[in-house]
Amino acid sequence: MKTLLISTALAATALAGAAHAFPAYGNDSGPAVILTFTNSGVQSSNTGQGPYDGVEDTYVGVVNNSSNTIYSINLSSTNQPITGFDGHGLAAYGAPTPYDGYGYGGPQGYFTNLVDAYHGTINFVGGVAPGATTYFSLEYPVNISTFSVPEPTTWALMLVGFGAVGFAARRRKVAAAVA
């Protein structure tokens, strides 16, 4: 029985690790930064990997542990030109980048809203489904800005609240007209 429990625990650990496995590119055995999305927000973690090109390019992994599909991520930096692409994207190291002409988008990403070298949006073709992972790269490490999508019950509560406010305002208007 003890052997069965240990084997089950080892198998579960192996499956959990495999769920977030990313391919190695350049000098990195995996992403330098991993963005983990949950229903309560997003966390960014640094894995200790250096630039995959040996200079500045950053390999970014995305893990979707939320119940929503992720279609895009808004990216920004105040001091590093994260989208000042210099041609050393993951594609230069053998990564598939079929949708991104810059070579940084990874297997399902492409960039838009590149108004300057400090801001942009990574979009994912088909989205990153709940439980799935993907990756892309940038010139430097990144800060992310995301917009939370409320759960259906939150939307229902907001609608009830808006309705109550509207009802109260209408009631005041009718009461003022009668007086």
Side-chain angles (χ1 to χ4, degrees), residues 52 56-60 75 81-83 85 88 90 104 111 122 136-143:
Y52 65 86
E56 83 285 17
D57 288 3
T58 301
Y59 179 5
V60 181
L75 307 163
I82 59 172
T83 58
F85 302 135
H88 301 127
L90 288 174
Y104 286 77
F111 290 89
I122 179 77
F136 61 95
S137 63
L138 296 168
E139 279 301 307
Y140 289 92
V142 65
N143 297 318

Side-chain angles (χ1 to χ4, degrees), residues 56-93:
E56 83 285 17
D57 288 3
T58 301
Y59 179 5
V60 181
V62 177
V63 177
N64 186 2
N65 288 337
S66 77
S67 59
N68 300 306
T69 300
I70 301 167
Y71 291 99
S72 63
I73 304 171
N74 296 318
L75 307 163
S76 68
S77 175
T78 56
N79 59 354
Q80 298 289 349
I82 59 172
T83 58
F85 302 135
D86 62 6
H88 301 127
L90 288 174
Y93 294 85

Side-chain angles (χ1 to χ4, degrees), residues 75-160:
L75 307 163
S76 68
S77 175
T78 56
N79 59 354
Q80 298 289 349
I82 59 172
T83 58
F85 302 135
D86 62 6
H88 301 127
L90 288 174
Y93 294 85
T97 58
Y99 306 105
D100 182 50
Y102 300 104
Y104 286 77
Q108 68 185 102
Y110 65 95
F111 290 89
T112 58
N113 302 322
L114 300 174
V115 294
D116 60 28
Y118 298 86
H119 303 90
T121 301
I122 179 77
N123 304 282
F124 303 108
V125 174
V128 183
T133 62
T134 193
Y135 56 90
F136 61 95
S137 63
L138 296 168
E139 279 301 307
Y140 289 92
V142 65
N143 297 318
I144 62 164
S145 59
T146 60
F147 300 96
S148 298
V149 177
E151 294 293 319
T153 53
T154 304
W155 279 110
L157 285 173
M158 287 191 310
L159 290 173
V160 168

Side-chain angles (χ1 to χ4, degrees), residues 10-69:
L10 288 174
T13 303
L15 286 173
H20 304 303
F22 293 95
Y25 291 111
N27 294 334
D28 287 357
S29 60
V33 175
I34 297 180
L35 305 176
T36 304
F37 289 80
T38 65
N39 287 332
S40 58
V42 61
Q43 294 179 340
S44 175
S45 57
N46 188 328
T47 65
Q49 297 280 339
Y52 65 86
D53 67 346
V55 182
E56 83 285 17
D57 288 3
T58 301
Y59 179 5
V60 181
V62 177
V63 177
N64 186 2
N65 288 337
S66 77
S67 59
N68 300 306
T69 300

